[in-house]
Amino acid sequence: QVQLVESGGGSVQPGGSLTLSCTTSGFTLGPKFIGWFRQAPGKEREGISSISYVNGKTYYRDSVKGRFTISRDSAEGTVHLQMNSLKPEDTAIYYCAAGVLPRGTSVYSEQSYDYWGQGTQVTVSS
């Protein structure tokens, strides 16, 4: 049974940092991509970052580029999202997702991922 579990969420002041982790288990062949999504109150869920398990290539939305860093520990089956210089608009529930991303699909699209974690809350407020 495939499972993804997020951890590391919490409350932080603007300008602060948090590191989210996504621990995966149950994969037979392993995912090709792990993505991070977030859903702010009243908004649709959006993909913000992704990493290829095959070659380590990373992807970032403009809204988080330069502030967030995604990394993987393949041996541990864990993906981390280091978030620096956090802003109030980063407040959201953060989800990790795993998938194979069929040809022609976007790393930022929910439809590209087959497995999802339960989410972890990140609140940025003074």
Side-chain angles (χ1 to χ4, degrees):
Q1 181 181 358
V2 172
Q3 283 191 317
L4 285 75
V5 179
E6 302 96 338
S7 61
S11 295
V12 65
Q13 293 186 340
S17 299
L18 283 174
T19 299
L20 305 183
S21 297
C22 175
T23 302
T24 68
S25 63
F27 284 100
T28 301
L29 297 177
K32 295 293 182 62
F33 286 82
I34 297 287
W36 283 97
F37 289 72
R38 67 185 182 186
Q39 187 167 21
K43 295 187 176 181
E44 294 187 352
R45 189 158 56 183
E46 64 167 349
I48 57 171
S49 184
S50 185
I51 187 167
S52 167
Y53 251 57
V54 176
N55 58 20
K57 186 175 181 180
T58 57
Y59 304 81
Y60 300 97
R61 285 279 203 189
D62 286 345
S63 57
V64 304
K65 193 175 296 183
R67 301 187 297 122
F68 291 10
T69 303
I70 191 170
S71 61
R72 79 191 196 283
D73 182 336
S74 299
E76 296 290 331
T78 302
V79 171
H80 304 286
L81 186 69
Q82 172 69 41
M83 306 186 295
N84 298 325
S85 303
L86 283 162
K87 306 174 182 180
E89 51 263 43
D90 293 318
T91 295
I93 299 174
Y94 284 70
Y95 301 87
C96 65
V100 297
L101 265 74
R103 185 180 295 275
T105 59
S106 167
V107 297
Y108 303 117
S109 172
E110 291 186 50
Q111 286 69 37
S112 299
Y113 298 86
D114 303 302
Y115 304 98
W116 292 81
Q118 81 289 349
T120 186
Q121 177 71 47
V122 171
T123 302
V124 185
S125 173
S126 55

